Amino acid sequence: MKVTLKDGSVKEYSEPMSVNDIAFDIAGGLGRAACAGEVDGEVVDLRTTIDKDCTLNILTFKDEAGKAAYRHTASHVMAEAVKNLFPEAKLAIGPSIDTGFYYDFEHEPFSREDLDKIEAEMKKIIKKGARLERFTLPREDAIKYMEDRNEPYKVELIKDLPEGSTISFYSQFVDLCAGPHLMNTKSIKAFKIISSSMAYWRGDSSKARLQRIYATAFDSKDELNKYLEELEDAKNRDHNKLGREMELFTTVDVIGQGLPLLMPKGQRMVQKLQRWIEDLEDNEWGYVRTKTPLMAKSDLYKISGHWDHYKDGMFVLGDEEKDKEVFALRPMTCPFQYYVYKASQKSYRDLPCRYGETSTLFRNEDSGEMHGLTRVRQFTISEGHLIVRPDQMVEEFKNCIALAQYCLQTLGLEEDVTYHLSKWDPENREKYIGEPEVWNETEQDIRNVLNELNIPFVEDIGEAAFYGPKVDINAKNVYGKEDTMITIQWDALLAEQFDMYYIDENGEKKRPYIIHRTSIGCYERTLAWLIEKYAGKFPTWLCPEQVRVLPISDKYVEYADKVAAELKKNGIDVTVDSRSEKIGYKIREARLDKL
């Protein structure tokens, strides 16, 4: 058989060979570094036997798939260590992730002392260098195998697989797994347990509460140490920590999860952002302001389709079976602004209509998803809806992207984002309204716009709104988790739902298109982004306190107040530190406050 390697060279073998054996045949160093293989484009285990002509790429830790196999092996070592120390713990799942790996267990919360013990046990297991052997069982035998070991979560996973399936396991320590894995545990060169937290089984808050242990692994101690240094920097930049230390926001249990309180400094920053955006949109981009209610009857959301497609994400006030009228807090502003448009008849000459609103919205996010300012249940957004003629759609969509890019550039964030074309999932038809032809056409329209603007983008299936595809502009937080910061949606469907029309040049009624967009996104999430980007050392125009006047002694306080008053007249955010403290102490405090 002929095996074509990554560099184009060809190896010939007279009998079947495993990927691992071929790696060592190519070079001993490559064999020792190998984490997985890629055969004809498919990632496979090192134990996979090659018995026909193919292309083969040996994957090492430098490759993403190789890194995943390396870290997934480390997660199995963690599972073994936990079972050695806490035999009563039940195993759930242990995947690799971008920053390392985790494993979920049914167990009491782990203390830091527990985590240190687990880490020490993992080192012992790795030092022994046990081989990971793969074996398979028929589905029914696999279920009994895990039932005998009292592992209910593994049993549930196996039962979800089709009847007649063959189930794979790996044993240095027996665990249900599809692989791939390293050949033995000794290949794990460096790892570190980072933290633990609560997690729901299968991400469902109605299911069991588990304990998740996060860790990371690298193929050298130097790389691990570098990552740990970066992680420490991330912790110091974490808006959830830094924002509270700087008294920008806080949260209170009796108020509720996902309902942050912006303190005076944080609100001052949001106020500056809001005033800038409103003036920018109205004075330079042709928007007009609306102000619409925070709630509406269920009738409105039934027309829009939100009641059928988004009700679980809404705060509903009342019971349809008991109450004459049922209301819901608004999760978005679009249906309200449509009625602003419909309040008077529009001609083709009146379009585009660009409605802007600083909208407070409410979304019933899962409690396990709440995090600081980035995932909240009440938030304020720079929302806008453009009602346009079909022939205006492309140009207006480009302008919405240009406005978003200008906002990102002004804030110094333009290099931190990625662009995504969020598409529908034709395999999940009940999630969406409209016909496939409309979806395919509008997705291609967005694709054409992004290509014309030379914007690199990736395509995400199943991330579209139920009524249309969109461009999501995403960014990662300090820990690498990605969130959507700005959205621009192409909507060719909802005008029909609301019987929206304009009169064309021939006096006939025509349906407009709609663009749903934000210019800066959610103010709370943007504030979190800015805190982490600048580590609290904000651009001067955004600083909640730009100048602090420090009188050297009490007799100069009156003069310091006059200086501050003059600065305030000129639009400077200023305070006076009139405390009876030494000047050096005042200076140090001002520096710690990141003026």
Side-chain angles (χ1 to χ4, degrees):
M1 64 182 178
K2 294 181 179 180
V3 177
T4 304
L5 304 179
K6 186 179 180 181
D7 62 2
S9 63
V10 178
K11 285 274 191 178
E12 292 193 27
Y13 299 99
S14 58
E15 58 185 27
M17 296 269 283
S18 71
V19 173
N20 189 62
D21 289 340
I22 294 174
F24 274 100
D25 183 61
I26 296 169
L30 181 62
R32 288 187 291 274
C35 298
E38 187 179 45
V39 177
D40 293 336
E42 180 183 352
V43 176
V44 299
D45 193 272
L46 291 171
R47 299 154 191 79
T48 301
T49 299
I50 307 294
D51 57 8
K52 61 182 180 179
D53 293 355
C54 66
T55 60
L56 172 64
N57 181 19
I58 304 298
L59 302 175
T60 69
F61 192 82
K62 293 178 182 177
D63 303 291
E64 286 305 312
K67 191 176 294 179
Y70 186 101
R71 289 172 168 171
H72 189 40
T73 304
S75 81
H76 276 237
V77 173
M78 176 191 283
E80 181 180 1
V82 170
K83 290 293 282 187
N84 288 349
L85 295 169
F86 308 98
E88 73 284 1
K90 303 290 181 264
L91 303 173
I93 58 171
S96 65
I97 54 177
D98 288 346
T99 55
F101 61 94
Y102 68 79
Y103 212 111
D104 289 347
F105 304 91
E106 183 189 282
H107 192 265
E108 294 300 311
F110 294 102
S111 67
R112 185 65 244 184
E113 186 181 48
D114 291 335
L115 299 182
D116 291 341
K117 288 178 182 177
I118 295 166
E119 191 171 286
E121 184 67 16
M122 288 176 69
K123 288 178 181 177
K124 292 178 185 177
I125 294 167
I126 290 169
K127 189 175 181 180
K128 289 178 183 176
R131 286 182 63 84
L132 282 86
E133 303 290 350
R134 184 177 186 273
F135 67 94
T136 61
L137 291 172
R139 179 176 176 272
E140 294 307 313
D141 291 348
I143 291 171
K144 185 175 185 308
Y145 189 77
M146 280 301 175
E147 284 177 340
D148 291 345
R149 281 157 179 74
N150 194 19
E151 295 292 356
Y153 300 101
K154 299 296 185 183
V155 170
E156 182 178 329
L157 291 171
I158 298 169
K159 285 183 175 179
D160 284 346
L161 299 172
E163 290 188 18
S165 298
T166 298
I167 314 300
S168 62
F169 295 82
Y170 281 81
S171 62
Q172 103 277 351
F173 148 77
V174 177
D175 200 355
L176 169 71
C177 188
H181 280 292
L182 304 181
M183 295 299 292
N184 65 70
T185 60
K186 210 164 192 175
S187 299
I188 301 170
K189 301 293 192 301
F191 75 94
K192 182 70 179 176
I193 291 180
I194 306 298
S195 62
S196 66
S197 66
M198 188 276 290
Y200 292 112
W201 172 232
R202 295 190 155 181
D204 187 339
S205 60
S206 67
K207 296 185 183 296
R209 292 164 66 100
L210 305 175
Q211 299 305 315
R212 176 171 296 175
I213 301 179
Y214 287 99
T216 193
F218 289 85
D219 67 348
S220 76
K221 289 183 178 179
D222 287 345
E223 280 190 272
L224 174 63
N225 290 335
K226 180 183 176 185
Y227 171 78
L228 294 176
E229 288 173 7
E230 291 171 352
L231 186 61
E232 190 61 31
D233 179 61
K235 288 179 181 177
N236 292 332
R237 288 175 178 268
D238 184 347
H239 85 276
N240 216 4
K241 171 179 178 287
L242 190 55
R244 295 169 197 272
E245 291 174 354
M246 294 182 68
E247 297 184 350
L248 299 176
F249 78 97
T250 189
T251 53
V252 183
D253 287 344
V254 295
I255 292 175
Q257 278 188 303
L259 299 171
L261 303 175
L262 289 183
M263 299 175 77
K265 289 182 181 180
Q267 175 54 23
R268 180 60 178 145
M269 290 184 69
V270 169
Q271 183 185 57
K272 290 184 181 189
L273 290 169
Q274 181 179 327
R275 288 177 175 174
W276 166 54
I277 289 295
E278 289 180 350
D279 288 345
L280 177 69
E281 290 179 348
D282 299 355
N283 299 334
E284 299 182 35
W285 292 82
Y287 285 77
V288 292
R289 293 283 116 193
T290 65
K291 184 174 176 59
T292 57
L294 298 180
M295 68 178 75
K297 294 194 296 184
S298 59
D299 305 51
L300 178 71
Y301 304 115
K302 288 174 182 176
I303 295 171
S304 68
H306 288 98
W307 202 253
D308 292 330
H309 295 273
Y310 200 78
K311 185 180 176 184
D312 288 345
M314 298 166 66
F315 288 101
V316 177
L317 311 176
D319 187 325
E320 286 189 287
E321 294 183 3
K322 299 177 183 178
D323 300 318
K324 186 176 180 182
E325 290 184 328
V326 174
F327 288 78
L329 299 177
R330 64 179 184 187
M332 65 288 295
T333 310
C334 46
F336 299 86
Q337 290 190 331
Y338 298 161
Y339 283 97
V340 174
Y341 175 85
K342 284 166 61 72
S344 62
Q345 184 168 286
K346 302 294 190 298
S347 156
Y348 70 97
R349 293 190 182 91
D350 297 319
L351 271 55
C353 286
R354 305 184 189 95
Y355 296 121
E357 182 166 337
T358 302
S359 306
T360 297
L361 305 178
F362 307 85
R363 295 185 185 174
N364 191 10
E365 299 278 7
D366 184 87
S367 61
E369 295 293 319
M370 299 299 104
H371 179 69
L373 296 176
T374 58
R375 188 70 65 176
V376 293
R377 287 173 168 155
Q378 175 184 309
F379 55 93
T380 302
I381 194 169
S382 59
E383 196 164 21
H385 296 90
L386 293 79
I387 293 88
V388 306
R389 302 192 310 263
D391 64 287
Q392 298 170 324
M393 187 67 169
V394 169
E395 192 62 30
E396 290 295 323
F397 201 87
K398 288 179 183 176
N399 287 341
C400 290
I401 293 176
L403 173 57
Q405 290 178 325
Y406 175 77
C407 293
L408 291 171
Q409 290 163 5
T410 303
L411 295 172
L413 301 170
E414 71 276 15
E415 294 181 359
D416 300 337
V417 301
T418 55
Y419 290 78
H420 298 250
L421 167 51
S422 295
K423 307 188 297 182
W424 79 316
D425 181 359
E427 302 298 319
N428 190 9
R429 289 288 283 115
E430 67 276 5
K431 183 180 174 183
Y432 307 94
I433 62 173
E435 297 304 316
E437 296 76 17
V438 176
W439 282 92
N440 294 335
E441 181 182 335
T442 52
E443 286 174 3
Q444 187 58 48
D445 286 332
I446 295 178
R447 198 177 286 114
N448 292 341
V449 166
L450 293 170
N451 286 327
E452 186 178 336
L453 296 175
N454 294 316
I455 295 174
F457 65 96
V458 296
E459 301 192 10
D460 299 331
I461 294 175
E463 294 300 317
F466 70 85
Y467 50 80
K470 55 183 176 169
V471 172
D472 283 327
I473 303 177
N474 293 0
K476 292 181 178 179
N477 68 11
V478 289
Y479 298 111
K481 184 181 182 300
E482 191 169 69
D483 283 304
T484 297
M485 309 307 296
I486 296 171
T487 291
I488 304 164
Q489 299 176 344
W490 186 300
D491 176 7
L493 296 171
L494 285 186
E496 181 80 26
Q497 306 274 101
F498 283 88
D499 191 27
M500 298 166 66
Y501 65 87
Y502 64 93
I503 305 300
D504 72 4
E505 56 268 38
N506 299 316
E508 297 180 358
K509 290 183 177 182
K510 291 292 176 66
R511 296 291 183 207
Y513 281 0
I514 302 166
I515 300 173
H516 309 240
R517 48 100 279 179
T518 59
S519 50
I520 198 177
C522 164
Y523 286 100
E524 289 85 354
R525 187 173 287 182
T526 300
L527 178 57
W529 193 9
L530 289 165
I531 294 169
E532 295 187 352
K533 167 73 175 181
Y534 293 107
K537 299 176 182 178
F538 305 110
T540 306
W541 72 277
L542 267 178
C543 284
E545 185 184 6
Q546 295 165 319
V547 173
R548 188 177 297 176
V549 183
L550 311 180
I552 292 172
S553 67
D554 291 348
K555 66 181 180 180
Y556 297 115
V557 170
E558 185 178 345
Y559 178 69
D561 288 339
K562 289 181 181 178
V563 172
E566 193 64 27
L567 287 166
K568 280 184 180 178
K569 286 180 187 177
N570 287 275
I572 304 297
D573 285 319
V574 58
T575 60
V576 176
D577 187 346
S578 57
R579 295 175 300 168
S580 298
E581 299 283 358
K582 292 182 179 179
I583 191 67
Y585 179 81
K586 291 182 180 182
I587 291 170
R588 280 192 301 276
E589 285 223 329
R591 285 177 173 164
L592 289 172
D593 286 344
K594 303 181 189 295
L595 289 168

